[in-house]
Amino acid sequence: MIASKPAKLSAALLFAAFLVTGCSSTSTTDGGGDSTSSGDTAYDSTAQGQAYGSDNVDSSTSGQDAAGRIGTIFYFDFDKSELRGDVRAKLNEQARLLNGKSGIVRLEGHADERGTREYNIALGERRAMAVANYLASQGVARSQIETISYGEEKPQALGHDDSAWSQNRRVGLSYSE
């Protein structure tokens, strides 16, 4: 039996969707990643952020302006998706600003270049979900939060050393009203 081109395309798309969804996880612990390989794929479950800014925030400003001044990039330790203390402090401020607003919060998870493509996509997703879960625990509506994982595909810093890798292990937050 010979399959038609539309049937082959449908089967290929279904298989690709199955592979991508198989990489997602909401766990906040890791078992072996950020470790040795590369590839290019993104997992979207729902703009890279700006670097940390001033902690002095006027809550009367728009969500995006205030979010940018608090800091919209949250860094992670090697092969981890647990939130560090400095990240929790910044997220508390973000949640305070976002509560009561109706816009969408987009969280972009990233990993450094170490690890397989699939592992890094999953790690980026776990990192984004850790931030999403924390924001939700602080009162931000889940319906406002979108996550996407780019894995290693959108590095903030180019290079193959600890300095570059530490900048690439992050979640970027953007807000749109």
Side-chain angles (χ1 to χ4, degrees), residues 13 24 40 52 65 97 99 103-104 124 148-149 162 173:
L13 289 174
S24 91
D40 46 28
Y52 279 95
D65 292 342
L97 291 170
N99 281 327
I104 299 296
I148 184 168
S149 176
D162 288 333
L173 179 151

Side-chain angles (χ1 to χ4, degrees), residues 33 35 43 49 55 60 68 87 90-92 110-111 115-116 131 141 149 157 161:
S35 276
Y43 172 76
D55 285 332
S60 66
V87 170
K90 296 292 182 188
L91 287 173
N92 288 336
H110 300 272
T116 65
V131 172
S149 176
D161 58 15

Side-chain angles (χ1 to χ4, degrees), residues 33-40 112-120 152-153 160 165:
D34 268 334
S35 276
T36 53
S37 185
S38 68
D40 46 28
D112 64 35
E113 66 185 347
R114 299 170 295 170
T116 65
R117 176 181 67 195
E118 294 80 9
Y119 186 86
N120 286 337
E152 65 200 64
E153 299 311 315
H160 310 288
W165 293 331

Side-chain angles (χ1 to χ4, degrees), residues 83-94:
L83 300 176
R84 301 185 325 205
D86 62 321
V87 170
R88 288 177 192 270
K90 296 292 182 188
L91 287 173
N92 288 336
E93 288 298 311
Q94 288 289 1

